[in-house]
Amino acid sequence: FFKQKTAYEIQMLIVVVLLITYITYKNPIPGTWFQLREESLQNLWSLLKFEMVVGSMAFFVLLGVVVVYIYATKLGSEDYEGIMIAITFENQLFTLAYTTRDVSVTFIGRAMGEGKTKNAKIFLKVGLLLVTSYYLICEIIVGLFSSELIGLATSNYELIENATKILKLFMVQ
């Protein structure tokens, strides 16, 4: 697990370096690079307060995933297969919630950058409401149809039963 995670982090680092290099030399969007001025930092504390709320949502979701991965490394092959199937379905189910979270962060950051604190508060409230609603809907779907969803990935009854239990456990996080 740790080798795969390290490889993934190295891959992301390479992507960031390539993007920064491309933006620096090609300048595809004028104004991408700018010098920091005192005006740039005026609303920084207000921005950080809003970002802490949204960032904490992401932190706790990812913390749960890390705990599951650590647990998965201690299992046998069939249990591990069940966890991988459950993780795949969880990622597919929650894509809308993750995307909404990221878009909310973008809108909040933009509003704060423009000094529109009132709009940032609205984006924060709407984002939290939407993400919470998506999570609730996904948990209802998993609660009612988890074995049917897992059955789409495998016909092994024992694996379906195992992955269903794991997917329901994911919903607790």
Side-chain angles (χ1 to χ4, degrees):
F1 166 72
F2 293 107
K3 291 178 184 177
Q4 291 90 346
K5 184 66 176 161
T6 303
Y8 175 78
E9 295 301 330
I10 290 170
Q11 175 188 356
M12 290 294 106
L13 180 65
I14 291 170
V15 168
V16 167
V17 168
L18 290 174
L19 280 172
I20 289 173
T21 304
Y22 175 76
I23 290 171
T24 301
Y25 290 108
K26 293 290 185 176
N27 196 18
I29 303 170
T32 303
W33 297 118
F34 58 89
Q35 283 193 321
L36 286 177
R37 296 189 194 115
E38 190 175 330
E39 306 91 55
S40 303
L41 304 174
Q42 284 179 343
N43 293 322
L44 190 59
W45 179 245
S46 298
L47 174 65
L48 287 175
K49 288 192 294 187
F50 285 110
E51 294 295 333
M52 291 297 283
V53 174
V54 179
S56 65
M57 279 191 325
F59 171 77
F60 285 113
V61 168
L62 293 175
L63 180 65
V65 171
V66 168
V67 168
V68 167
Y69 276 123
I70 290 171
Y71 171 73
T73 60
K74 303 194 182 317
L75 298 175
S77 64
E78 192 155 309
D79 291 330
Y80 185 77
E81 289 173 12
I83 283 188
M84 290 303 112
I85 290 172
I87 287 172
T88 300
F89 277 98
E90 183 202 20
N91 287 337
Q92 291 172 353
L93 283 170
F94 288 103
T95 298
L96 187 57
Y98 298 152
T99 305
T100 304
R101 178 197 65 206
D102 295 342
V103 169
S104 298
V105 169
T106 304
F107 282 147
I108 291 167
R110 183 173 180 179
M112 293 302 295
E114 294 172 351
K116 299 178 180 177
T117 308
K118 186 176 181 180
N119 286 354
K121 287 180 181 179
I122 292 170
F123 291 139
L124 177 63
K125 290 175 184 174
V126 169
L128 285 171
L129 178 67
L130 285 174
V131 170
T132 303
S133 300
Y134 294 149
Y135 273 106
L136 184 62
I137 290 168
C138 288
E139 290 193 17
I140 290 170
I141 290 171
V142 167
L144 296 175
F145 305 109
S146 58
S147 58
E148 289 82 2
L149 289 171
I150 301 295
L152 296 172
T154 183
S155 59
N156 182 339
Y157 177 75
E158 196 172 300
L159 191 55
I160 290 173
E161 187 177 311
N162 193 8
T164 300
K165 289 177 187 174
I166 294 167
L167 187 58
K168 287 182 178 180
L169 178 65
F170 284 169
M171 298 305 108
V172 174
Q173 76 175 2

